[in-house]
Amino acid sequence: METQQPSSPLQRATTLIPCSPLFRLRLAPPWIRVVPLGRSIDLQSRSSRRELRLRRDVCGLIRGVADGVGGWRDYGVDPSQFSATLMKTCERLVKEGRFTPSNPVGILTSGYYELLQNKVPLLGSSTACIVALDRRSHRLHACNLGDSGFLVVREGEVVHRSDEQQHYFNTPFQLSIAPPGAEGVVLSDSPEAADSSSFDVQLGDIILTATDGLFDNMPDYMILQELKKLKTSNYDSILQTAQSIAKQAHDLAYDPNYMSPFAQFACDNGLNVRGGKPDDITVLLSIVAEYTD
């Protein structure tokens, strides 16, 4: 299997671990919660759609996205199987209490190595982003491997974000399971190579987690314009905003005259590209808000 060809921007598979609808934080006043999660998923290809609900843990709240590398279809492999299985395994580990909120890369590492040891054949590659909120410290801990990612928005500005990881143009860092004998040929990164960060959250912070289908089609200022429309922290408002963001990204993805962030990145790499990037789009949206019983 060749590894020097970047994965097609048209072929990506997505799956996700949405967080519990609510969580409560019993610390010094004010109490904190994350309001119900707004979810919007736009699937362009043969991708699996999963909603894996986590239990309300006493220590933290976890959510994540995994984006399967679509180039595996050329070899007869469904790319959604790897990303879906990876997130399902991470979900089970969280439900079993085998995690700490301050170490999301540990969840990703454990989930990935469990797949490597699985006797059931599984091939594929995936990027992954896992975000964990530690209720006790009010800190957001995250790990991101590849080109999915997250933003923390405060008072209309991005105050914290993940760093994208690329080997070269349109070839993100990725976890992989290769066919026997091809382990040294297929591009594969260690989960420990994920970019890790921690950040103190405040009341009113908006946490947006998404696959590259969003960030490749909408620059920050467009995302922030949509988030400014979010006036309340009720579920319907959050869901409507998430759907609005995903729809705008979808529309831009099919605009041949739009100079998208992906097209700009391609031009920076010497390619004559214009237009959006048709892709799967997953948007997870939540707000840190004061809790009143």
Side-chain angles (χ1 to χ4, degrees):
M1 182 177 294
E2 297 294 329
T3 62
Q4 297 304 309
Q5 296 297 323
S7 59
S8 167
L10 305 181
Q11 298 176 330
R12 287 294 179 88
T14 59
T15 186
L16 58 117
I17 303 179
C19 63
S20 303
L22 298 175
F23 84 91
R24 301 176 181 181
L25 179 60
R26 283 185 175 272
L27 293 175
W31 294 354
I32 303 295
R33 65 173 170 129
V34 167
V35 300
L37 174 71
R39 298 186 296 272
S40 185
I41 308 173
D42 174 45
L43 301 179
Q44 298 298 323
S45 55
R46 291 186 306 151
S47 307
S48 69
R49 173 173 176 172
R50 295 189 60 90
E51 294 187 2
L52 307 179
R53 195 169 298 278
L54 302 184
R55 67 185 173 90
R56 301 176 187 178
D57 189 86
V58 296
C59 296
L61 182 73
I62 316 293
R63 67 185 180 280
V65 293
D67 192 358
V69 176
W72 282 91
R73 267 196 202 94
D74 297 338
Y75 302 91
V77 176
D78 181 355
S80 70
Q81 292 300 311
F82 185 88
S83 55
T85 306
L86 176 63
M87 289 290 97
K88 185 175 181 179
T89 302
C90 290
E91 179 200 31
R92 178 176 52 76
L93 294 174
V94 171
K95 286 183 174 180
E96 293 173 354
R98 296 163 57 186
F99 81 104
T100 56
S102 61
N103 186 30
V105 72
I107 304 170
L108 183 62
T109 300
S110 297
Y112 174 59
Y113 284 128
E114 184 168 315
L115 296 189
L116 289 177
Q117 298 167 4
N118 198 335
K119 296 181 180 180
V120 179
L122 180 67
L123 301 176
S125 303
S126 179
T127 65
C129 179
I130 296 179
V131 177
L133 182 59
D134 189 333
R135 302 176 181 182
R136 294 170 178 166
S137 65
H138 297 190
R139 286 182 68 80
L140 189 73
H141 304 279
C143 70
N144 183 62
L145 187 89
D147 56 5
S148 294
F150 71 94
L151 304 174
V152 179
V153 177
R154 179 180 298 161
E155 296 181 350
E157 296 184 358
V158 177
V159 293
H160 184 59
R161 70 183 311 145
S162 56
D163 289 329
E164 184 176 300
Q165 295 178 310
Q166 296 271 1
H167 288 285
Y168 42 87
F169 173 68
N170 202 33
T171 305
F173 281 36
Q174 54 201 263
L175 304 176
S176 301
I177 297 181
E183 289 82 358
V185 178
V186 174
L187 180 65
S188 183
D189 297 284
S190 166
E192 289 90 348
D195 175 68
S196 296
S197 64
S198 298
F199 186 75
D200 291 329
V201 297
Q202 297 181 10
L203 290 172
D205 285 354
I206 300 173
I207 304 168
L208 181 149
T209 310
T211 56
D212 65 313
L214 172 66
F215 301 116
D216 283 341
N217 287 297
M218 288 183 69
D220 284 359
Y221 80 89
M222 287 188 180
I223 297 174
L224 293 175
Q225 284 176 348
E226 291 299 311
L227 291 177
K228 286 179 181 178
K229 301 175 183 178
L230 185 59
K231 301 300 183 182
T232 66
S233 59
N234 64 68
Y235 178 83
D236 290 339
S237 179
I238 296 173
L239 180 59
Q240 182 179 1
T241 301
Q243 291 175 333
S244 177
I245 292 172
K247 183 181 185 303
Q248 184 170 346
H250 173 269
D251 292 344
L252 292 171
Y254 287 89
D255 183 346
N257 298 314
Y258 168 58
M259 182 55 73
S260 63
F262 178 81
Q264 184 61 59
F265 187 31
C267 291
D268 293 343
N269 282 269
L271 301 175
N272 185 17
V273 174
R274 192 173 185 86
K277 177 191 172 188
D279 201 352
D280 304 325
I281 299 168
T282 300
V283 178
L284 308 181
L285 194 60
S286 54
I287 302 177
V288 180
E290 184 175 5
Y291 174 74
T292 55
D293 201 352

